Amino acid sequence: GSESTLLSSLKKSERNAFWKENNIVFFDTYIGAAIEALESKLIPVRGLYRVAKRGVEEMETLLEDYPAFNFEEAVKHLNKDIDRANEKLAEHGMDPVDGILAY
């Protein structure tokens, strides 16, 4: 039956429909998770602000503590989610959070 079908054998659109039907979400950063939580009314917008601010602080610490490590992809994902978070924050009249400006 359809329950025994492996997800890997489904087309991408079918897998995405399965995830959506089962309320399964994916994210790249904790900031992305906080955006999903805000949209699901699980946290207030202030919670999103705190997660975004702390996420940037933690990334800055990693960049400083491990200068030889390549964080390019992680910084890209973080900044993308910071942009999304800032859109949500602006909708609620809150100040934006700065992303990682130079890497």
Side-chain angles (χ1 to χ4, degrees), residues 2 4-12 14-15:
S2 64
S4 64
T5 302
L6 292 176
L7 286 173
S8 61
S9 68
L10 299 176
K11 294 179 195 169
K12 185 176 182 178
E14 294 171 326
R15 278 194 310 272

Side-chain angles (χ1 to χ4, degrees), residues 19 24 26 28 36 38 43 45 51 60 62 79 86 90-91:
W19 303 136
I24 299 170
F26 298 91
D28 295 316
E36 293 291 337
L38 174 70
I43 64 170
V45 68
V51 170
E60 288 172 339
L62 287 171
N79 281 333
N86 283 336
E91 289 172 11

Side-chain angles (χ1 to χ4, degrees), residues 70-100:
N70 184 350
F71 288 100
E72 187 174 345
E73 276 300 303
V75 169
K76 183 175 116 183
H77 288 297
L78 180 132
N79 281 333
K80 177 185 67 122
D81 284 348
I82 284 291
D83 290 344
R84 291 178 51 222
N86 283 336
E87 289 173 14
K88 299 292 180 187
L89 295 172
E91 289 172 11
H92 292 86
M94 295 185 68
D95 290 336
V97 173
D98 289 333
I100 303 295

